[in-house]
Amino acid sequence: MGVSYHALMTIDPGNLGILTHPHPTLRMPAQPVEEVDDLVRAVAVRMFQLMEEAAGIGLAAPQIGLSWRMFVTRDPEDETKNSVWINPELEVIEDSKESDEEGCLSLPGILVNVNRPLGIRIRGLNERGEPVDEVSNEHIARVWQHEHDHLDGRLIIDRMSSMDRLRNRRALRDLKRG
Ligand code: ZN
């Protein structure tokens, strides 16, 4: 099950790995991070490591078994730009939607066309506990929304069309069998 923020003492970031569907922690609404401390920073470092090993562009704490409102991203338009988002909040600033294919490190082999608003403002804390406020209508705005969904226990398979359901049927069945 998920590890709450209060169980910090038992966490060894080096032992954390990416969980796949249908692990129950992926479905739990995550809790706010109370303090951006050394452990939170060590977890962020581990998340970057796991994200890069898996060639991902985003990874949320629930995906490594921590029910924390926190995710890391790599900007697909600027690969040197790594960001940590703690207690992030999103605001739609451009409501027109666009559909694009998304994958998820917790759903290997699955691709889903997801319709999302184009322009997003994100506010949260960085790994030093400082407030960060950014706006984008580039691909990273989609990544923010995908990762933020993880903090509320939502996955891209919740948004599948009947076409997506069909083409992902085998991969989903294999995941459920474990
Ligand atoms: Zn994901």
Side-chain angles (χ1 to χ4, degrees):
M1 292 302 289
V3 180
S4 80
Y5 194 74
H6 303 286
L8 291 183
M9 308 308 287
T10 61
I11 297 167
D12 175 0
N15 285 336
L16 298 170
I18 298 176
L19 307 176
T20 55
H21 173 73
H23 194 286
T25 301
L26 294 170
R27 292 308 196 170
M28 290 169 54
Q31 301 302 309
V33 173
E34 289 164 18
E35 197 191 338
V36 183
D37 56 16
D38 285 345
L39 182 71
V40 170
R41 281 184 280 276
V43 165
V45 168
R46 178 63 176 154
M47 287 172 74
F48 279 122
Q49 204 175 31
L50 291 168
M51 178 177 71
E52 272 150 30
E53 278 171 16
I57 52 176
L59 185 66
Q63 293 181 274
I64 58 164
L66 299 175
S67 239
W68 300 359
R69 301 194 77 82
M70 164 175 172
F71 58 74
V72 300
T73 56
R74 188 165 61 80
D75 190 328
E77 268 109 28
D78 179 0
E79 299 207 347
T80 61
K81 199 179 166 212
N82 286 337
S83 302
V84 182
W85 293 97
I86 296 161
N87 302 337
E89 299 205 12
L90 305 188
E91 183 189 335
V92 175
I93 54 163
E94 190 183 333
D95 206 19
S96 57
K97 292 190 174 72
E98 194 172 71
S99 184
D100 203 355
E101 205 165 60
E102 296 182 19
C104 179
L105 297 180
S106 294
L107 292 160
I110 290 173
L111 290 171
V112 177
N113 278 295
V114 185
N115 210 25
R116 297 195 190 269
L118 277 172
I120 294 292
R121 178 179 189 184
I122 184 171
R123 277 174 283 193
L125 302 174
N126 65 16
E127 68 276 21
R128 293 179 295 280
E130 300 157 349
V132 192
D133 185 340
E134 282 183 29
V135 163
S136 176
N137 55 11
E138 304 291 324
H139 190 83
I140 193 70
R142 174 173 293 276
V143 178
W144 292 339
Q145 293 174 82
H146 176 115
E147 300 311 326
H148 193 266
D149 275 352
H150 277 297
L151 308 186
D152 294 328
R154 284 197 298 268
L155 299 174
I156 53 174
I157 49 173
D158 306 340
R159 299 168 175 271
M160 285 192 291
S161 63
S162 49
M163 190 76 94
D164 281 331
R165 211 168 288 284
L166 203 61
R167 69 167 170 160
N168 288 308
R169 195 174 43 187
R170 185 182 298 264
L172 262 172
R173 194 185 56 208
D174 290 348
L175 269 175
K176 280 178 187 158
R177 279 182 185 158

